[in-house]
Amino acid sequence: MKLATAMLIALAAAATVAPAQGTRAKNRAGGKPMSPPAAVSVAAPALAGYTREALFGDLWKRPGLTPRDRCIVTLAALITRNQTVELPYYMNLALEDGVKPGEISGMITHLAFYAGWENAIAAAAAAREVFARRGIPADQLPPAGGPRLELEEAAETERAKITEQSIGPLFPGMVAYTNGLLFRDLWLRPDLAPRDRSLVTVCCLIASGQLLPLAHHLNRAMDHGLTQTQAAEAVTHLAFYAGWPFAVSALPIMKDVFAKRP
Amino acid sequence: MKLATAMLIALAAAATVAPAQGTRAKNRAGGKPMSPPAAVSVAAPALAGYTREALFGDLWKRPGLTPRDRCIVTLAALITRNQTVELPYYMNLALEDGVKPGEISGMITHLAFYAGWENAIAAAAAAREVFARRGIPADQLPPAGGPRLELEEAAETERAKITEQSIGPLFPGMVAYTNGLLFRDLWLRPDLAPRDRSLVTVCCLIASGQLLPLAHHLNRAMDHGLTQTQAAEAVTHLAFYAGWPFAVSALPIMKDVFAKRP
Amino acid sequence: MKLATAMLIALAAAATVAPAQGTRAKNRAGGKPMSPPAAVSVAAPALAGYTREALFGDLWKRPGLTPRDRCIVTLAALITRNQTVELPYYMNLALEDGVKPGEISGMITHLAFYAGWENAIAAAAAAREVFARRGIPADQLPPAGGPRLELEEAAETERAKITEQSIGPLFPGMVAYTNGLLFRDLWLRPDLAPRDRSLVTVCCLIASGQLLPLAHHLNRAMDHGLTQTQAAEAVTHLAFYAGWPFAVSALPIMKDVFAKRP
């Protein structure tokens, strides 16, 4: 019985990625139809209304953050929260709004470390399918090896020293992986621009309620070009995709970061 | 191989909604059989025992919170935690224990904002199926538009002023959506009684560990009729459905709210 | 369309449990092949590289925590985070690395109370399938009843008194269930050694970001034999499976516990 249910739900959900119908709203970014899944219109007409008017009709069209950036914020939130149902939909939207396949692949790899390995595994399964359907060849995806970005040696030495002093020698594995694998390898991968990598990290922290490292990573994002307006729009966007409480909790920390920057 | 696995699991899970068998315990609320899924009895007999005796046999029968309210608390927890497997089971239970289809639809819409949009999308897919199987017509579900409840103007103006002062003008989007879309629209929808809407919000905050706004919303719930006993039973109920640590963490805040109320 | 997608993903995922191929790395623990799922290699080659080299090739081979313990830590993280996709893979790995079926069953039962009931229900469905495929008979699984371990009466009376004083009589249900059902029944079940039960609890708390009771349970784990090195390796392991921020947030509390122990 439940199997039939699951199939009916799957078929219903398929409507969310079906070709545009006449009445569907157009997203300004790429002519992409953006509308609530059919099940929402049936079971929660009010939610369908908010999805059309507030979410797609207003939030996604706000100035201050490009549709490309909004796609990055949304994907970061969905992968962090392990929400795979609409992940293919938003990956397709991202590709149409200027996010490159290699950037999606890079986000997945980055979020393995920040949102948990299994979240990335699940996102990779969705991405494989999306890439295959669009005929994206493997050589557009960043390899495991290859050159790395140049390390900002002074800043990183300082950061590593703080980590070493605060948790080593009690947690030698954490120190070794953090100072080696993460900040001398993952963070130097060229598949994401440093500003985007930090934006993804900031969104992951907010969407998972992990606020302790938020100030550090928000500063890093802004050092690499994220503006205060963009940061404010990103957290507003996350209010919808991660829930109001997660966004609201981040505001005092963000406000403090804004105030202390030169 | 995994597909076969998935199907076997789906078939096994189907047993959870199968017609009552002779030995199944009856829920006092509506003659509804409440028993652990078959897979639990096989793989974790001790968990099956706790489900029968502690969960269904004791917790759900405690006085202080009606079965209807326990259904609301449970649905709020499941939607907040994006746990869709047993969502149809508990939606059916809720409908049998006096929760109206329009209230389930209203909860889903409300939780889009408090638990994240994708959680509500997933819950809507489950609700559509449950409503369809029960032949619930669309006109029993609250429309997007329609009249709103009257605003408590003084209290809301005060709340909005605090939001404005604390985060505007740094986060104009958050201020606009919070003071407009949320508190002058969503919160005034008549599909949930104000007491129930606040109860749903309180459960969402506890189940997601977002405790910063808990005092505000618990006070609001109690202002609208939630008793101290009901609040205490709700968090006890959540200990089972969200996990002990989430409930325990909420207790000091709740205790403080209880102490400070006139 | 989405149904087809779901099936393709399921088929792709099936590759993760397919028989070992020639090139697959061997885990030292039991000749078990450990390699990333096929979808990861296609859509995120860099993540596949990290999975092979950092995760399976390095983390899992670190001294200080046995493969059996690493399996327990991983299962605790996955069940706590409700990540069922690779749960069968890791349950099989656990069984090959020395975790007994009854211990997996015991972990599921324990985590119903600490990670939320529905997480345990989902894990039981996965375990049933894994046990069935391996022909594990029901009599290897711990029954609901049976003898309990001896209570450490003095310590438990002290713990119960603190609970009673801090939250009773405001939360009578929480007090009754915590002091009865949990600490005079669940915690005394013999299906998990006390050290392992506490390790599972510690991992659950870290993986869900519920740090308030962490000091208590880490002390309890160490009282029952968990070494400081094992605790440090466990949180390092969780950095990968729950995400870096969750592990990092736990470190100050763990450091404080280490410092204060005699």
Side-chain angles (χ1 to χ4, degrees):
Chain A
M1 200 183 313
K2 264 229 175 128
L3 183 64
T5 301
M7 285 186 172
L8 281 168
I9 290 172
L11 287 167
T16 67
V17 290
Q21 286 147 20
T23 56
R24 286 189 155 188
K26 294 286 177 187
N27 173 30
R28 65 171 183 178
K32 180 92 189 56
M34 293 180 80
S35 61
V40 174
S41 302
V42 173
L47 175 58
Y50 286 128
T51 305
R52 268 189 304 269
E53 286 155 39
L55 190 77
F56 293 147
D58 196 76
L59 177 74
W60 276 84
K61 295 181 176 168
R62 285 176 63 85
L65 199 64
T66 64
R68 176 188 174 276
D69 281 346
R70 291 189 184 274
C71 287
I72 290 176
V73 171
T74 308
L75 289 182
L78 265 58
I79 297 173
T80 296
R81 293 161 57 84
N82 208 24
Q83 295 180 309
T84 53
V85 173
E86 293 213 305
L87 199 48
Y89 174 81
Y90 283 106
M91 282 180 176
N92 277 307
L93 188 66
L95 292 168
E96 284 164 27
D97 276 349
V99 182
K100 295 188 192 117
E103 291 173 324
I104 290 180
S105 184
M107 285 180 63
I108 292 170
T109 301
H110 188 80
L111 288 170
F113 292 89
Y114 282 87
W117 217 262
E118 297 304 300
N119 298 44
I121 299 287
R128 170 162 113 149
E129 173 63 18
V130 168
F131 293 167
R133 295 178 70 90
R134 300 176 81 97
I136 293 167
D139 64 8
Q140 283 191 31
L141 302 177
R148 296 294 191 255
L149 302 176
E150 197 181 347
L151 184 70
E152 298 168 38
E153 192 68 51
E156 173 50 23
T157 301
E158 180 61 20
R159 199 210 49 71
K161 208 177 72 185
I162 293 169
T163 298
E164 174 68 35
Q165 284 172 349
S166 66
I167 61 169
L170 292 176
F171 302 96
M174 286 302 294
V175 172
Y177 286 130
T178 303
N179 292 351
L181 185 63
L182 259 67
F183 285 102
R184 287 181 182 264
D185 186 30
L186 178 72
W187 278 86
L188 304 179
R189 292 187 54 80
D191 41 32
L192 285 174
R195 177 262 197 198
D196 291 346
R197 189 175 293 279
S198 284
L199 175 60
V200 167
T201 309
V202 163
C203 293
C204 169
L205 295 174
I206 296 174
S208 57
Q210 294 297 303
L211 301 178
L212 210 67
L214 179 58
H216 172 78
H217 285 292
L218 179 56
N219 268 310
R220 197 175 173 118
M222 296 179 79
D223 289 346
H224 283 99
L226 188 79
T227 68
Q228 187 170 313
T229 298
Q230 290 169 340
E233 283 301 317
V235 72
T236 305
H237 198 92
L238 288 171
F240 287 82
Y241 284 95
W244 233 257
F246 286 82
V248 169
S249 297
L251 298 184
I253 296 164
M254 297 179 72
K255 189 179 167 181
D256 192 52
V257 166
F258 292 168
K260 287 185 181 153
R261 287 184 65 83
Chain B
M1 200 183 315
K2 264 231 174 125
L3 183 63
T5 301
M7 284 186 172
L8 281 168
I9 290 173
L11 288 167
T16 67
V17 289
Q21 286 147 21
T23 56
R24 286 189 156 189
K26 294 286 176 187
N27 173 32
R28 63 173 183 178
K32 181 90 190 55
M34 292 180 81
S35 60
V40 174
S41 302
V42 174
L47 176 58
Y50 286 128
T51 304
R52 269 190 304 270
E53 286 155 38
L55 190 76
F56 293 148
D58 195 77
L59 177 74
W60 276 84
K61 295 179 175 168
R62 285 176 63 86
L65 199 65
T66 63
R68 176 189 175 276
D69 282 345
R70 290 188 185 276
C71 287
I72 289 176
V73 171
T74 308
L75 288 182
L78 265 56
I79 297 172
T80 296
R81 293 161 56 84
N82 208 25
Q83 295 180 310
T84 52
V85 174
E86 292 213 306
L87 200 48
Y89 174 81
Y90 283 106
M91 283 180 176
N92 277 306
L93 188 66
L95 292 168
E96 284 163 29
D97 276 350
V99 182
K100 294 186 193 121
E103 291 172 325
I104 291 180
S105 185
M107 284 180 64
I108 292 171
T109 301
H110 187 79
L111 288 170
F113 292 89
Y114 283 86
W117 217 261
E118 296 305 299
N119 297 45
I121 300 286
R128 169 161 114 151
E129 173 63 18
V130 168
F131 293 168
R133 294 178 71 91
R134 300 177 81 97
I136 292 167
D139 64 9
Q140 283 192 30
L141 302 178
R148 297 293 190 255
L149 302 177
E150 198 182 346
L151 184 68
E152 299 168 39
E153 191 69 51
E156 174 51 24
T157 301
E158 179 63 20
R159 199 210 50 69
K161 206 177 74 185
I162 293 169
T163 298
E164 174 68 35
Q165 284 172 349
S166 67
I167 62 170
L170 291 177
F171 301 96
M174 285 303 293
V175 173
Y177 286 130
T178 303
N179 291 352
L181 185 62
L182 259 67
F183 286 101
R184 286 180 183 264
D185 186 31
L186 177 73
W187 278 86
L188 304 179
R189 293 186 54 81
D191 41 32
L192 285 174
R195 178 263 197 197
D196 291 346
R197 189 175 293 279
S198 284
L199 175 60
V200 167
T201 309
V202 162
C203 293
C204 169
L205 295 175
I206 296 173
S208 58
Q210 295 297 304
L211 301 178
L212 212 65
L214 178 58
H216 172 78
H217 285 291
L218 178 56
N219 268 310
R220 195 173 174 121
M222 296 179 79
D223 289 346
H224 284 98
L226 188 78
T227 67
Q228 187 170 313
T229 298
Q230 289 170 340
E233 283 301 318
V235 72
T236 305
H237 198 92
L238 288 171
F240 287 82
Y241 283 95
W244 233 256
F246 286 82
V248 169
S249 298
L251 299 184
I253 296 164
M254 297 179 72
K255 188 179 167 180
D256 192 52
V257 167
F258 293 167
K260 287 185 181 153
R261 286 183 68 82
Chain C
M1 200 184 312
K2 264 228 175 127
L3 183 62
T5 301
M7 284 186 172
L8 280 169
I9 290 172
L11 287 167
T16 67
V17 288
Q21 286 147 19
T23 56
R24 287 188 156 188
K26 295 286 177 187
N27 172 31
R28 63 167 184 182
K32 180 91 189 60
M34 293 179 80
S35 60
V40 174
S41 302
V42 174
L47 176 57
Y50 287 127
T51 304
R52 269 190 305 269
E53 286 154 39
L55 190 76
F56 293 147
D58 196 76
L59 177 74
W60 277 84
K61 295 179 176 169
R62 284 177 63 86
L65 199 65
T66 63
R68 176 188 174 276
D69 282 345
R70 290 188 185 275
C71 286
I72 289 176
V73 172
T74 307
L75 288 182
L78 264 57
I79 296 173
T80 296
R81 292 161 57 84
N82 208 25
Q83 294 179 311
T84 52
V85 174
E86 293 214 305
L87 199 48
Y89 174 81
Y90 283 105
M91 283 180 175
N92 277 307
L93 188 66
L95 292 168
E96 283 164 28
D97 277 349
V99 182
K100 294 187 192 119
E103 291 172 326
I104 290 181
S105 185
M107 285 179 63
I108 292 171
T109 301
H110 188 80
L111 288 170
F113 292 89
Y114 282 87
W117 217 262
E118 296 305 299
N119 297 45
I121 299 287
R128 169 160 113 149
E129 173 63 19
V130 169
F131 293 167
R133 295 178 69 90
R134 300 176 80 97
I136 293 168
D139 63 10
Q140 282 192 31
L141 302 178
R148 296 293 190 257
L149 302 177
E150 198 182 346
L151 184 68
E152 298 168 37
E153 191 70 51
E156 174 50 24
T157 301
E158 179 63 20
R159 198 211 50 70
K161 207 177 74 186
I162 294 169
T163 298
E164 174 68 36
Q165 284 172 350
S166 66
I167 61 169
L170 291 177
F171 301 96
M174 286 302 295
V175 173
Y177 287 130
T178 303
N179 292 351
L181 186 62
L182 258 67
F183 286 102
R184 285 179 183 265
D185 186 31
L186 178 72
W187 278 86
L188 303 179
R189 292 186 55 80
D191 41 32
L192 284 174
R195 178 262 196 197
D196 291 345
R197 189 175 294 280
S198 284
L199 175 60
V200 167
T201 309
V202 163
C203 293
C204 169
L205 295 174
I206 296 173
S208 57
Q210 294 297 304
L211 301 178
L212 211 66
L214 178 59
H216 172 78
H217 285 291
L218 179 56
N219 267 310
R220 196 174 174 119
M222 296 180 79
D223 289 346
H224 284 99
L226 189 78
T227 68
Q228 188 171 311
T229 297
Q230 289 170 341
E233 283 300 317
V235 72
T236 305
H237 199 91
L238 288 171
F240 288 81
Y241 283 95
W244 233 256
F246 286 82
V248 169
S249 297
L251 299 184
I253 296 164
M254 297 180 70
K255 188 179 168 181
D256 191 52
V257 167
F258 293 168
K260 286 184 181 153
R261 287 183 66 81

